C-alpha cells in the first residue's frame, strides 16, 4: 500500500477515487465525522485518518460509492435501457411524492381558511357585545 499524504482536500481525494466530492463528504458525514473542525480558509483538509477511512469505505463498497444509480461504462452490466427504466421509476416516485405534498398543502389551506372564518365570526360577536349598552347585558 502506498504512503498516505499528510493532508488532502476532498476534491483531490474524490478525483483520485473517480467519484464526486459530495460522495466523499457524505460518506464521512454518514460515518459520524464532523468536517467543520477540519476547515482551513473554507477548504476542508483531510488528514491521514480521513483519507484512510474514505479509501476503506470505497474498497468495502466494491469500489462504488456513487449510490443507487448505475453508471453506464464500457463493460458495465447496466445498459442504457436499465438505466432509463431506473430513472423513470425514480421520476414516477418523485411525482407521487409531489402529488401527496400538494394534496397536503390544499388540506392545510382549507383548514386555515376555516380557522380564519371562525376567528372572524368570534371577532364579530365580540364587537357586538362591546356595542351593547349596560342595560342590555341580560339579553
Amino acid at each position: 500500500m502506498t504512503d498516505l499524504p499528510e493532508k488532502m482536500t476532498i476534491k483531490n481525494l474524490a478525483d483520485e477515487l473517480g467519484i464526486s466530492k459530495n460522495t466523499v463528504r457524505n460518506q464521512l458525514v454518514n460515518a459520524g465525522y464532523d468536517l467543520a473542525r477540519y476547515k482551513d480558509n473554507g477548504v476542508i483538509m483531510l488528514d491521514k485518518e480521513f483519507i484512510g477511512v474514505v479509501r476503506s469505505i470505497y474498497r468495502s463498497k466494491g469500489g462504488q460509492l456513487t449510490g443507487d444509480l448505475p453508471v453506464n461504462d464500457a463493460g458495465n452490466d447496466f445498459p442504457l435501457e436499465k438505466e432509463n427504466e431506473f430513472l423513470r421509476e425514480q421520476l414516477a416516485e418523485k411525482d407521487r411524492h409531489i402529488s401527496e405534498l400538494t394534496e397536503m398543502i390544499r388540506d392545510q389551506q382549507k383548514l386555515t381558511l376555516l380557522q380564519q372564518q371562525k376567528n372572524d365570526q368570534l371577532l364579530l360577536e365580540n364587537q357586538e357585545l362591546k356595542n351593547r349598552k349596560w342595560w342590555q347585558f341580560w339579553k
Side-chain angles (χ1 to χ4, degrees):
M1 184 171 153
T2 61
D3 278 338
L4 297 177
E6 284 296 317
K7 293 212 176 225
M8 182 183 274
T9 65
I10 288 180
K11 173 116 175 74
N12 292 343
L13 183 57
D15 289 343
E16 174 186 315
L17 297 174
I19 56 178
S20 73
K21 65 180 182 177
N22 286 335
T23 303
V24 173
R25 184 186 167 285
N26 291 338
Q27 289 300 318
L28 287 171
V29 169
N30 290 342
Y33 291 99
D34 180 22
L35 298 179
R37 297 184 316 157
Y38 297 93
K39 276 193 175 181
D40 183 27
N41 293 330
V43 177
I44 298 174
M45 295 300 291
L46 304 177
D47 58 9
K48 283 184 177 184
E49 175 192 3
F50 281 140
I51 296 168
V53 166
V54 172
R55 286 180 178 166
S56 66
I57 292 173
Y58 184 74
R59 280 192 303 273
S60 71
K61 301 256 184 173
Q64 290 184 341
L65 292 178
T66 57
D68 296 327
L69 182 64
V71 180
N72 193 18
D73 291 334
N76 197 346
D77 294 338
F78 299 105
L80 286 176
E81 292 82 24
K82 286 186 180 181
E83 189 173 335
N84 285 340
E85 180 183 339
F86 174 80
L87 292 173
R88 283 190 183 105
E89 289 172 4
Q90 291 294 314
L91 187 59
E93 185 177 337
K94 302 284 188 228
D95 288 343
R96 186 178 54 79
H97 285 296
I98 289 171
S99 297
E100 290 174 2
L101 291 173
T102 303
E103 189 62 35
M104 288 177 166
I105 289 171
R106 284 187 190 129
D107 291 344
Q108 184 62 41
Q109 288 174 339
K110 289 176 186 176
L111 291 172
T112 303
L113 179 63
L114 286 173
Q115 187 62 42
Q116 184 64 37
Q117 289 172 347
K118 287 181 183 180
N119 287 343
D120 291 344
Q121 181 66 29
L122 287 174
L123 283 173
L124 185 63
E125 290 175 10
N126 192 15
Q127 197 64 20
E128 289 174 1
L129 286 175
K130 283 185 178 181
N131 290 338
R132 287 186 180 175
K133 304 291 183 204
W134 66 271
W135 62 84
Q136 295 176 327
F137 280 119
W138 58 82
K139 290 186 179 180

